[in-house]
């Protein structure tokens, strides 16, 4: 049992962490503690200090203020004057004051489904706390689901309108956590298109920090994942809290450091969201997740990795080694080119050839055809089915690109249904990459896409789909929704997207799904519920990838990070560069973005030996525990290692990227090596003790800026 409910306290325990609350006066859920396991007697008392100007209430002669005590969940309008998690407007009275009072608590094994949204699954236990606001007659249920082994607790809420009048939710945060009043750092993953999820560490100053996306996607610019650490925390030491959101649309991570400490919230926010709740309707927020480690930032990442692997990602899926057509041919596809490409792929040992954008409708460039999921006769004289048979007869698997949520104005779909795109009826639509966003809040649109994908791929054996999404939402106004529900557009867009994903993975159960949004514009736990891996970034320049991959590793397991060796911009024109690109790409599932038709035999030989080599350590890369050693933003190089469960196999990588001066030395301390074991270096056959590995491998920077080195150790 990880949850214990007693008269005065509710305690949640995971393998290494403890979370505690109490119910003040049997009415108000108060947060007491989140951190490493401690004795219950050591739990902090409720902070009774009332700061001047803060509104207070009386409990048996003692006064308390919601503005000063640590709340389990914060709501607007009843004396908590900090940033709050829930704001509900009573449309009859015009008041946005609510006061949710505790009614009951219970725990149960397993969890409830969150209708229409992706959520974590697996062995778990759930705490349900029910509160009620008497005036609006709305019931608030707070859910805490405990994933014991990963040290993760997930949180969301459900609000039900039991009254007779309409309510409007103006702000919805899935979790709110009041941390101890200390000095903290924030690690967040920020960037832009083709440079997403670079890790930044900033001191948390007083005031409000909002990490947010209003783009209708979790975005290239700000990822929902973040960490709060103590100021001295390192990869191996100190307190680290990590948070994420099982959602792929606009989001808000909101932190407020003020007089009573640091409040941390994750949710839908208030800018791109509102929701009308009619009598007897209910709303559930997407799920937020949190973990804590007293053993530093690295362990908080590993907690998240283990949670994502066990509770989020699709099970029993392979990670194919793909050769993708995009950078090789862009839109210049034809059947002969693709068959030759497949032959090239076979000749080097690649297992899946992927036909990217440009194979359907009038899609010969990015100006036309999107939305028309009909294989073009221009490419497939005998149809897509025959073409796929020809590919597969070569002994290779086949993958294909789709972008179901979008439409070009120059398409049959748009000509037939101009009202099926997100638009403000009185204004010109705004294009991005010559395309518009389909109104996925409209069930008819979702149904239409299902039918067209179903027709297009029916009876054709496809092993891998790359599902892309290449623009953000500008006019988030669904023509389908009634006026009073227009504010739900972005949220209902995502419900439509998830409905489509859900249908798709059931319709094509044998295929591997790779998600993509112009690279990593939707690199999040919502997408990971359906996709085995995600196209990390459209930036395939290895020197830049080092930053993107390093940043992604803070919140996401490496198995999700699709990494391709690319010869774009001539970066693989000689053996050294090709070697560097490969060494950078083996941080996650390997693939190639490479015009193999232009490769001579020497390059092909190198690629085929890379693939053989990768297979020697593929398992540990996909499933091993990951340790960061060097941060490219601060150390001048990137280094990391993977270790398997019983620590008998270790794979270490060091990657220069121009930041290291020749001759500079680094010590790569493999602290997870077992001191009681000896390890054999599989490249040199040298034997090295675990104790020595723990003291550190010395590596000397090379004169080449693109230089990488790996070590593969097996215990003797
Ligand atoms: C953006 C993706 O990230 C690329 O890999 C490619 O699939 C293009 N879209 C195709 O339009």
């Amino acid at each position: 049992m990880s949850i214990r409910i007693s008269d005065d306290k509710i305690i949640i325990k995971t393998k290494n962490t403890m979370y505690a609350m109490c119910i003040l006066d049997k009415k108000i859920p108060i947060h007491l503690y989140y951190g490493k396991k401690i004795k219950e007697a050591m739990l902090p008392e409720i902070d009774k200090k009332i700061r001047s100007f803060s509104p207070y209430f009386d409990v048996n002669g003692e006064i308390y203020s919601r503005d000063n005590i640590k709340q389990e969940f914060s709501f607007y309008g009843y004396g908590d004057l900090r940033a709050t998690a829930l704001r509900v407007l009573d449309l009859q009275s015009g008041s946005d004051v609510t006061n949710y009072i505790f009614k009951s608590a219970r725990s149960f094994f397993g969890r409830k489904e969150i209708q229409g949204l992706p959520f974590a699954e697996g062995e778990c236990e759930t705490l349900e706390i029910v509160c009620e606001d008497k005036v609006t007659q709305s019931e608030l249920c707070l859910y805490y689901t405990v994933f014991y082994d990963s040290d993760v607790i997930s949180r969301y809420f459900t609000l039900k309108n039991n009254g007779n009048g309409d309510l409007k939710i103006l702000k919805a945060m899935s979790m709110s956590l009041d941390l101890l009043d200390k000095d903290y750092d924030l690690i967040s993953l920020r960037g832009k298109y083709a440079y997403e999820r670079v890790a930044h560490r900033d001191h948390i100053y007083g005031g409000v920090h909002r990490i947010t996306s209003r783009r209708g996607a979790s975005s290239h610019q700000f990822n929902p994942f973040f960490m709060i650490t103590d100021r001295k925390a390192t990869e191996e030491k100190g307190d680290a809290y990590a948070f994420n959101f099982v959602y792929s649309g606009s989001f808000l991570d909101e932190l407020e450091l003020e007089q009573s400490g640091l409040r941390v919230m994750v949710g839908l926010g208030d800018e791109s969201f509102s929701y009308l709740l009619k009598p007897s309707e209910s709303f559930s927020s997407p799920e937020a997740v949190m973990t804590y480690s007293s053993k530093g930032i690295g362990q908080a990442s590993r907690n998240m990795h283990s949670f994502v692997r066990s509770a989020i990602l699709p099970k029993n899926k392979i990670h194919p080694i793909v050769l993708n057509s995009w950078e090789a041919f862009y839109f210049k596809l034809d059947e002969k080119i693709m068959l030759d490409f497949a032959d090239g792929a076979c000749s080097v040992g690649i297992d899946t050839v992927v036909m990217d954008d440009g194979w359907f409708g009038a899609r010969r460039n990015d100006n036309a055809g999107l939305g028309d999921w009909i294989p073009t006769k221009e490419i497939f004289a005998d149809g897509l089915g025959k073409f796929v048979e020809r590919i597969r007869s070569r002994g290779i698997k086949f993958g294909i690109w789709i972008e179901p949520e979008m439409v070009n104005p120059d398409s049959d779909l748009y000509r037939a249904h101009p009202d099926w795109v997100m638009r403000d009826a009185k204004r010109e639509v705004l294009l991005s990459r010559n395309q518009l966003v389909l109104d996925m809040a409209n069930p008819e649109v979702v149904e239409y896409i299902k039918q067209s994908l179903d027709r297009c791929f029916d009876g054709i054996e496809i092993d891998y789909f790359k599902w892309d999404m290449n623009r953000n939402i500008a006019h988030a106004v669904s023509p389908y929704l009634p006026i009073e529900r227009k504010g739900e557009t972005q949220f209902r867009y995502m419900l439509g997207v998830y409905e489509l994903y859900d249908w798709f993975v059931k319709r094509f159960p044998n295929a591997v799904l790779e998600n993509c949004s112009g690279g990593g514009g939707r690199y999040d736990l919502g997408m990971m519920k359906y996709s085995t891996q995600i196209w990390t970034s459209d930036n395939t320049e290895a020197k830049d990838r080092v930053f993107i991959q390093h940043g992604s590793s803070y919140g996401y397991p490496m198995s999700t990070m699709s990494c391709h060796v690319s010869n774009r911009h001539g970066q693989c024109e000689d053996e050294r560069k090709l070697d560097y690109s490969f060494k950078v790409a083996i941080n996650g599932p390997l693939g190639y973005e490479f015009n193999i038709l232009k490769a001579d035999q020497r390059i092909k030989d190198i690629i085929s030996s890379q693939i053989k080599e990768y297979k020697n350590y593929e398992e540990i890369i996909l499933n091993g525990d990951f340790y960061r050693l060097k941060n490219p933003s601060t150390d001048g190089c990137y280094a990391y290692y993977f270790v398997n469960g019983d620590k008998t196999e270790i794979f270490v990588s060091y990657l220069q990227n121009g930041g290291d001066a020749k001759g500079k030395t680094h010590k790569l301390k493999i602290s997870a090596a077992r001191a009681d074991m000896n390890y054999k270096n599989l490249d040199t056959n040298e034997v090295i003790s675990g104790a020595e590995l723990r003291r550190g491998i010395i590596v000397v920077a090379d004169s080449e800026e693109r230089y990488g080195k790996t070590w593969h150790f097996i215990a003797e």
Side-chain angles (χ1 to χ4, degrees):
M1 290 278 280
S2 347
I3 300 167
R4 195 165 52 77
I5 303 172
S6 64
D7 265 359
D8 62 337
K9 286 192 187 66
I10 300 176
I11 308 279
I12 299 175
K13 284 189 180 155
T14 69
K15 202 175 191 174
N16 302 292
T17 73
M18 181 168 168
Y19 187 100
M21 68 183 91
C22 69
I23 313 294
L24 176 63
D25 194 28
K26 298 194 168 41
K27 284 191 184 127
I28 299 168
I30 301 291
H31 179 69
L32 291 178
Y33 176 79
Y34 184 29
K36 66 178 169 204
K37 282 184 177 162
I38 54 172
K39 293 210 170 73
E40 276 185 42
M42 304 298 286
L43 285 172
E45 298 279 307
I46 301 176
D47 182 2
K48 291 185 186 157
K49 203 185 302 147
I50 306 288
R51 288 151 183 114
S52 296
F53 284 68
S54 290
Y56 50 80
F57 56 91
D58 189 304
V59 176
N60 304 325
E62 282 209 83
I63 55 166
Y64 299 84
S65 172
R66 283 193 188 272
D67 200 24
N68 304 148
I69 42 182
K70 300 202 182 326
Q71 310 259 17
E72 207 32 63
F73 191 72
S74 54
F75 45 85
Y76 188 87
Y78 214 77
D80 187 345
L81 302 177
R82 293 172 273 186
T84 46
L86 179 65
R87 184 169 175 207
V88 180
L89 181 66
D90 181 337
L91 290 176
Q92 280 177 313
S93 69
S95 165
D96 54 4
V97 173
T98 49
N99 184 18
Y100 289 97
I101 296 294
F102 176 84
K103 260 175 67 180
S104 62
R106 68 173 182 126
S107 68
F108 50 91
F109 286 106
R111 65 165 306 151
K112 287 188 174 175
E113 279 190 20
I114 313 180
Q115 205 55 50
L117 287 165
F119 53 85
E121 285 175 282
E123 207 171 296
C124 57
E125 202 180 327
T126 299
L127 166 68
E128 179 188 68
I129 296 181
V130 183
C131 303
E132 187 187 27
D133 176 54
K134 287 231 156 48
V135 175
T136 57
Q137 294 180 52
S138 53
E139 187 181 81
L140 173 70
C141 293
L142 307 177
Y143 291 97
Y144 301 70
T145 298
V146 186
F147 296 86
Y148 186 88
D149 285 332
S150 322
D151 285 326
V152 164
I153 302 174
S154 81
R155 296 178 58 179
Y156 73 99
F157 76 83
T158 296
L159 190 72
K160 180 152 191 237
N161 183 353
N162 291 325
N164 302 317
D166 291 353
L167 303 174
K168 193 159 219 175
I169 306 174
L170 299 179
K171 183 176 185 188
M173 303 300 279
S174 301
M175 59 155 285
S176 151
L177 173 68
D178 290 342
L179 288 175
L180 293 178
D181 189 8
K182 283 189 357 191
D183 214 6
Y184 295 102
D185 277 355
L186 165 69
I187 297 176
S188 62
L189 308 181
R190 316 202 290 257
K192 54 187 173 190
Y193 168 72
Y195 226 100
E196 48 275 69
R197 293 180 307 288
V198 178
H200 291 263
R201 182 168 180 165
D202 305 294
H203 178 212
I204 300 181
Y205 51 81
V208 178
H209 303 241
R210 285 165 76 102
I211 300 171
T212 192
S213 161
R214 310 171 189 88
R215 296 164 182 271
S218 50
S219 92
H220 300 87
Q221 288 73 12
F222 295 103
N223 192 269
F225 173 86
F226 66 101
M227 275 194 196
I228 307 282
T229 70
D230 70 51
R231 296 226 57 207
K232 289 194 178 142
T234 63
E235 283 291 330
E236 301 200 329
K237 287 200 178 91
D239 292 323
Y241 296 87
F243 304 86
N244 211 341
F245 201 27
V246 190
Y247 191 66
S248 314
S250 298
F251 70 91
L252 173 66
D253 296 331
E254 191 175 29
L255 318 175
E256 185 172 24
L257 177 64
E258 49 75 78
Q259 59 180 355
S260 304
L262 180 66
R263 173 165 288 172
V264 182
M265 298 191 287
V266 176
L268 294 167
D270 47 5
E271 277 190 272
S272 320
F273 172 82
S274 69
Y275 197 96
L276 178 67
L277 210 56
K278 289 187 171 289
S280 76
E281 284 182 353
S282 65
F283 163 84
S284 293
S285 73
E287 186 165 45
V289 296
M290 58 187 194
T291 189
Y292 162 81
S293 160
S294 60
K295 295 197 178 117
I297 298 163
Q299 187 56 46
S301 286
R302 286 187 290 281
N303 291 352
M304 280 296 183
H305 295 174
S306 115
F307 166 74
V308 176
R309 280 201 287 251
S310 59
I312 299 282
L313 287 166
K315 304 289 165 304
N316 306 320
K317 292 286 181 186
I318 52 135
H319 294 267
I321 301 178
V322 304
L323 176 65
N324 185 293
S325 68
W326 180 243
E327 287 186 9
F329 314 121
Y330 295 106
F331 288 100
K332 292 196 190 76
L333 297 177
D334 64 42
E335 177 153 347
K336 163 127 186 23
I337 278 197
M338 282 310 299
L339 292 175
D340 291 348
F341 202 50
D343 286 334
C346 286
S347 72
V348 293
I350 279 168
D351 52 53
T352 304
V353 67
V354 178
M355 182 166 68
D356 209 284
D357 197 355
W359 57 267
F360 51 91
R363 187 78 170 172
R364 313 307 295 143
N365 52 49
D366 63 15
N367 229 333
L370 198 54
D372 299 337
W373 299 107
I374 301 167
T376 172
K377 284 274 172 219
E378 262 182 63
I379 297 184
F380 315 104
D382 306 323
L384 182 64
K386 268 271 162 294
F387 162 73
V388 175
E389 273 173 29
R390 285 176 193 137
I391 293 266
R392 297 179 65 90
S393 70
R394 288 160 157 79
I396 193 162
K397 292 182 182 166
F398 177 71
I400 200 162
W401 178 96
I402 51 173
E403 189 177 3
E405 299 153 64
M406 301 285 159
V407 65
N408 282 128
D410 184 0
S411 66
D412 293 340
L413 175 59
Y414 186 73
R415 279 184 283 276
H417 297 285
D419 54 330
W420 275 8
V421 298
M422 295 286 194
R423 70 185 314 160
D424 174 342
K426 292 195 177 147
R427 297 173 205 278
E428 283 292 297
V429 290
L430 288 176
L431 290 173
S432 175
R433 206 196 187 202
N434 306 311
Q435 65 194 55
L436 295 167
V437 184
L438 285 169
D439 180 9
M440 303 293 286
N442 180 349
E444 210 188 333
V445 175
V446 176
E447 192 48 42
Y448 172 87
I449 305 171
K450 283 182 191 170
Q451 283 176 19
S452 52
L453 295 175
D454 187 71
R455 255 195 317 272
C456 182
F457 300 120
D458 189 38
I460 303 178
E461 220 176 322
I462 294 183
D463 304 284
Y464 160 109
F465 286 96
K466 176 177 173 188
W467 181 319
D468 208 344
M469 189 267 200
N470 278 303
R471 66 159 290 177
N472 289 145
I473 298 177
H475 296 163
V477 193
S478 155
Y480 164 78
L481 292 174
I483 291 171
E484 67 276 17
R485 289 204 180 272
K486 297 276 188 211
E488 294 163 34
T489 297
Q490 286 216 14
F491 181 65
R492 290 190 182 272
Y493 174 86
M494 282 318 306
L495 294 183
V497 169
Y498 290 135
E499 153 89 32
L500 189 61
Y501 266 97
D502 209 53
W503 168 84
F504 192 86
V505 296
K506 287 179 185 138
R507 174 66 182 83
F508 304 104
N510 300 325
V512 168
L513 184 58
E514 172 159 320
N515 179 259
C516 172
S517 173
R522 271 199 317 204
Y523 205 102
D524 58 65
L525 299 184
M527 286 295 138
M528 287 178 193
K529 194 69 208 285
Y530 305 96
S531 21
T532 304
Q533 53 194 51
I534 296 188
W535 181 223
T536 311
S537 176
D538 267 0
N539 187 340
T540 47
E541 163 60 64
K543 280 202 314 168
D544 297 339
R545 269 297 182 110
V546 157
F547 291 90
I548 299 166
Q549 294 173 188
H550 166 264
S552 307
S553 79
Y554 279 79
Y556 302 98
M558 304 299 107
S559 67
T560 61
M561 206 167 68
S562 178
C563 299
H564 291 186
V565 174
S566 151
N567 58 351
R568 199 178 190 176
H569 314 308
Q571 63 165 323
C572 291
E573 69 206 0
D574 62 38
E575 286 170 28
R576 233 182 135 111
K577 288 181 178 169
L578 183 53
D579 179 64
Y580 180 73
S581 261
F582 170 70
K583 292 226 164 70
V584 171
I586 54 176
N587 201 183
L590 176 69
Y592 287 79
E593 200 79 23
F594 209 97
N595 191 345
I596 198 94
L597 304 182
K598 285 194 180 151
D600 58 23
Q601 196 51 47
R602 186 182 51 98
I603 296 289
K604 282 189 183 169
D605 289 346
I606 295 175
I607 293 178
S608 80
S609 62
Q610 287 179 341
I611 291 170
K612 280 192 202 108
E613 190 183 320
Y614 169 72
K615 287 192 172 153
N616 292 334
Y617 38 72
E618 181 181 24
E619 172 57 28
I620 195 170
I621 287 172
L622 298 179
N623 294 312
D625 290 333
F626 179 76
Y627 290 72
R628 283 178 297 270
L629 290 169
K630 298 286 168 193
N631 175 342
S633 299
T634 51
D635 298 324
C637 62
Y638 177 35
Y640 62 82
Y641 66 95
F642 291 97
V643 58
N644 69 348
D646 58 9
K647 301 183 181 358
T648 52
E649 185 181 1
I650 299 170
F651 181 77
V652 190
S653 170
Y654 160 78
L655 296 159
Q656 260 171 231
N657 64 338
D660 264 355
K662 182 182 178 208
K664 186 172 170 191
T665 56
H666 292 283
K667 215 177 225 187
L668 308 181
K669 291 188 183 173
I670 316 299
S671 57
R674 279 175 56 172
D676 60 340
M677 277 186 176
N678 287 324
Y679 293 86
K680 183 160 148 190
N681 178 337
L682 292 186
D683 299 319
T684 61
N685 285 332
E686 267 173 281
V687 173
I688 180 165
S689 72
E692 219 174 318
L693 284 177
R694 289 162 70 100
R695 278 196 295 277
I697 305 170
I698 308 282
V699 55
V700 184
D702 193 81
S703 57
E704 274 285 317
E705 52 174 16
R706 286 183 163 96
Y707 171 75
K709 189 166 166 50
T710 58
W711 298 257
H712 189 189
F713 298 105
I714 299 282
E716 285 244 285

